[in-house]
Amino acid sequence: MTADYEVLIIGAGISGIGMACRLQQNYQKLFNHSLKAKKRNKDKATKPFIILEKRADLGGTWDLFTYPGIRSDSDALTFGYSFRPWLDHKMLAKGDDIKSYIAETAREFEVEKHIRYQHDVQQLSWSSIAKQWTVVVKNHASGEVYTMTAKFIVGATGYYDYDAGYRPHFESEEQFQGDIVHPQYWQDVDYNDKNIVVIGSGATAMTLVPALVDENGEQCARHVTMLQRSPTYVASVPGDDYALDWLAGKFSPLSKHQAYTLLRTRNVLMQQGLYQFATHAPNVLKAALKHGVKKELKGSGVDVAHFMPTYNPWDERLCAVPDSDLFTALHGKRAEVVTDQISHFTKTGIALTSGKHIEADIIVTATGLKLQILGGAALYVDGELIDVGARMTYKAVMLEGVPNIAMMFGYTNASWTLKIDLACQYVVRMLNYMKKHRYSVVFPQATTEQEQVQMQPDTVLGALSAGYVRRAKDKLPKQGDRYPWRVTNNYLSDRIMLKYRKIEDNWLHFTR
């Protein structure tokens, strides 16, 4: 049976566009046979690739979230694609700038024409007889539901539910007479001269607080309280990095691309070094973070305890704030941080278990994400529903026992795109290997003659203890106790594994 497409990519966010660009860069090498078949018989030829995006525009996360201050929490040099340098001097790029960067990349590599918007993938079904996937798609623009087929699937949907954020129910919340807003649904909220409570202590809350009290913005809140149940580690980073301009300056022997490569390498090593330091000397890093926060809060009257968690650094993501903007806001009169438990909502705000009451016109529930895999699509192999949470991930790219599918997961301890870029290159290498040896099917199998791999409770997102990971532990793919099933979250070892190790090994099974 002739498939409609060689490769079907789900999602047009930073992962999906990255994958499409890599395919486009290897277009002739990978799809030359399809192009020849198309010339011979246009009706039956398999097309090279397609991207299905259920939203009305590309960008993924950076199209969905529009709350004030939305930005990356990773440095821009490593957040950008390696094949298209991010040359802006901003250290933590703004959401609008990231979306523009993704769109410009899609245009430059001519992948826009392959995107089908408002196409929601609802089911993926593999047939071992046909050796291809049948994909059930709903076109939200027309309401039509139909199928298409593909030889290989790339799930580039990220790991959270775009339709619903995590929103716990608070006692008596129906009594509150103001507005309750989740950041995922932020649309044209009027917060000017309002009292706001932001519930949460993660990156979203720390981004919102200084943005809401920015007196130079279009709107400015009267007062904002960041209400947290427990603290999060936070550190200030420079808002701008002009090292690229300096290294590639007028009197420098380096080109801009060489300088970019050098600085990107520097940032990767710094990220990896910090993570390893946190793993092996957590108490030293705790002390350093505490010292930094004390210095930032000096003279503000804010207790450093609000930023000293009980867990070790990198058990959850460490939050970075540019140019101390959060601490600057806390020095002013418009912002404060409160660590306490919520008793219940009232008509005019929130009552805490300590007996304190916080007045509010708007309550922002920055309470986290709901996680899902493949954008919520059901996954079947020969009629059997696959429980993704009961399978291990192979090299954090493929799924144990499931043929011809890759699932993109980035890093939790570094820039998401670093791992995505490696994974995309690996998929291209594997597709090329399959074409060269005339293989039509590939799948990883954990049980070999040499060993019996043990599945671990940790998921593909590593050992993060964050609430959104704990809540979704049954949905996420697991990792094993050894290579290549163990997720290292180490860019240097992953680079060797995904870019340079041979494709064929003891765990990958190929058939023609």
Side-chain angles (χ1 to χ4, degrees), residues 106-331:
R107 284 193 293 271
E108 182 177 324
F109 286 84
E110 299 182 342
V111 301
E112 280 186 316
K113 61 186 177 183
H114 297 280
I115 305 174
R116 302 293 180 269
Y117 292 112
Q118 293 184 287
H119 280 55
D120 185 7
V121 175
Q122 299 184 329
Q123 182 175 301
L124 300 162
S125 300
W126 170 262
S127 168
S128 295
I129 296 174
K131 293 183 174 56
Q132 64 187 23
W133 289 94
T134 297
V135 183
V136 178
V137 183
K138 181 175 182 179
N139 184 334
H140 285 302
S142 66
E144 180 186 5
V145 177
Y146 59 96
T147 63
M148 59 178 66
T149 55
K151 295 180 182 178
F152 200 94
I153 300 290
V154 177
T157 59
Y159 58 84
Y160 61 84
D161 188 342
Y162 277 48
D163 296 325
Y166 176 66
R167 169 69 164 80
H169 181 270
F170 297 99
E171 186 176 344
S172 303
E173 65 175 61
E174 60 281 353
Q175 293 185 14
F176 181 61
Q177 295 179 346
D179 295 322
I180 302 176
V181 183
H182 191 285
Q184 192 160 325
Y185 309 115
W186 191 287
Q187 293 291 336
D188 300 322
V189 177
D190 179 11
Y191 62 88
N192 195 50
D193 199 32
K194 302 285 181 66
N195 290 319
I196 304 173
V197 176
V198 179
I199 302 174
S201 60
T204 301
M206 294 188 185
T207 300
L208 271 166
V209 171
L212 293 173
V213 299
D214 182 4
E215 295 182 2
N216 295 318
E218 293 182 2
Q219 300 185 63
C220 181
R222 185 186 310 158
H223 190 270
V224 177
T225 302
M226 188 173 87
L227 174 59
Q228 59 182 16
R229 184 172 54 186
S230 57
T232 299
Y233 289 111
V234 59
S236 178
V237 298
D240 299 286
D241 184 0
Y242 291 99
L244 187 65
D245 294 336
W246 178 74
L247 277 178
K250 185 176 180 180
F251 301 105
S252 171
L254 298 178
S255 68
K256 205 151 194 176
H257 184 77
Q258 290 172 325
Y260 168 79
T261 302
L262 183 63
L263 291 174
R264 183 181 169 92
T265 302
R266 175 203 68 180
N267 288 8
V268 167
L269 293 176
M270 287 174 61
Q271 289 173 0
Q272 296 298 303
L274 178 63
Y275 181 72
Q276 293 300 322
F277 185 69
T279 303
H280 294 93
N283 290 332
V284 177
L285 185 56
K286 274 185 183 180
L289 289 168
K290 185 175 182 178
H291 174 75
V293 171
K294 274 185 175 180
K295 186 177 178 181
E296 295 284 358
L297 294 176
K298 186 176 181 181
S300 68
V302 179
D303 192 339
V304 70
H306 291 301
F307 299 98
M308 292 307 300
T310 55
Y311 58 82
N312 287 330
W314 279 117
D315 283 355
E316 297 185 25
R317 283 186 70 98
L318 192 154
C319 288
V321 296
D323 289 335
S324 308
D325 65 353
L326 174 67
F327 300 114
T328 300
L330 293 174
H331 273 273

